[in-house]
Amino acid sequence: MRKEKHSRKTNETDISVQMNVDGSGVSEIDTGIDFFNHMLDQLAKHSLIDLKIKAKGDINIDYHHTVEDVGICLGETLNKCVGDKKGIHRFASVLLPMDDALIQIAIDFSGRPYLFWDVNFPTSKVGNFDTELFSEFFRSFTMNACINLHIKLIHGINSHHIGEAIFKGVAQSLKNALSIDPRKSKIIPSTKGSL
Ligand SMILES: [Mn+2]
């Protein structure tokens, strides 16, 4: 089973994550940041990954440390969960619309971390959440999950829709890339023999 429990504690944040890649998208998220909880619920829902996250961070300062560190912890947990990547589709790409927003996502479970980010938000905040934190989250997630992730905004005028479309698109991509191809269930999908 592709399941893991993982935690990470610093002077700034204390985070625990429980993940089941082969779940049904059930989530229990408490980061102390309501909008971020809403985004992480989308990530679980549309990836079919069961996700339990408890984060206590210094959100009295701002949300930066908590968002970044949840990204790190989530990435580390995913990297542990996928193991040797036997049988996975490995690649996925998605064009994800949400009302006015259209987001393009491509993912590769290559083992080589790289984030391409081409998203400009029309506003600096969604509610009390700084829109610059979206890229902070996906950078720390990508680097620690050891994945290659490309995220590009095609068009969009509403920052809430743009941010949410990114989370849904990444979720959909994770689901597709991590699903097992029955024709190669015992094979690591690389000519190198490892990923
Ligand atoms: Mn929403």
Side-chain angles (χ1 to χ4, degrees), residues 38 98 160 164:
H38 174 44
M98 181 171 177
H160 187 125
E164 189 164 337

Side-chain angles (χ1 to χ4, degrees), residues 142-156:
T142 300
M143 294 303 139
N144 290 282
C146 290
I147 56 176
N148 178 331
L149 183 60
H150 292 243
I151 301 177
K152 184 177 175 66
L153 173 66
I154 306 297
H155 53 244

Side-chain angles (χ1 to χ4, degrees), residues 1-191:
M1 278 298 269
R2 298 184 290 180
K3 288 166 80 160
E4 288 290 342
K5 268 189 193 177
H6 184 59
S7 57
R8 185 178 186 278
K9 193 176 187 316
T10 70
N11 290 333
E12 294 168 346
T13 61
D14 186 355
I15 298 165
S16 64
V17 174
Q18 275 179 250
M19 180 184 285
N20 179 4
V21 165
D22 301 297
S24 55
V26 178
S27 61
E28 195 184 318
I29 313 285
D30 179 11
T31 64
I33 305 167
D34 290 338
F35 178 76
F36 193 34
N37 295 345
H38 174 44
M39 293 297 109
L40 293 165
D41 279 331
Q42 302 295 337
L43 192 68
K45 187 68 159 183
H46 298 286
S47 64
L48 301 181
I49 294 172
D50 292 344
L51 204 52
K52 193 171 174 182
I53 301 176
K54 176 75 189 162
K56 275 178 76 79
D58 55 1
I59 56 174
N60 54 309
I61 296 174
D62 72 2
Y63 295 164
H64 191 105
H65 298 144
T66 301
V67 171
E68 186 177 25
D69 291 1
V70 167
I72 292 171
C73 199
L74 201 59
E76 288 173 341
T77 313
L78 181 63
N79 192 32
K80 284 170 74 180
C81 267
V82 297
D84 64 10
K85 303 172 195 162
K86 257 186 203 144
I88 65 168
H89 281 94
R90 179 178 163 180
F91 306 99
S93 58
V94 164
L95 204 52
L96 198 294
M98 181 171 177
D99 301 340
D100 52 283
L102 184 65
I103 288 283
Q104 190 166 34
I105 309 279
I107 198 167
D108 176 14
F109 276 78
S110 60
R112 298 189 303 276
Y114 186 89
L115 176 71
F116 173 83
W117 180 265
D118 181 12
V119 182
N120 285 308
F121 284 91
T123 59
S124 65
K125 283 183 181 285
V126 180
N128 54 7
F129 189 87
D130 293 320
T131 49
E132 66 182 17
L133 293 176
F134 284 99
S135 61
E136 292 302 312
F137 171 78
F138 282 105
R139 183 162 297 104
S140 55
F141 173 70
T142 300
M143 294 303 139
N144 290 282
C146 290
I147 56 176
N148 178 331
L149 183 60
H150 292 243
I151 301 177
K152 184 177 175 66
L153 173 66
I154 306 297
H155 53 244
I157 52 175
N158 179 284
S159 292
H160 187 125
H161 293 158
I162 292 168
E164 189 164 337
I166 293 171
F167 271 85
K168 286 175 169 166
V170 169
Q172 185 76 37
S173 305
L174 287 171
K175 177 173 80 75
N176 295 348
L178 287 171
S179 66
I180 302 291
D181 184 334
R183 290 184 299 167
K184 55 177 188 183
S185 62
K186 292 184 174 64
I187 298 169
I188 294 166
S190 167
T191 54

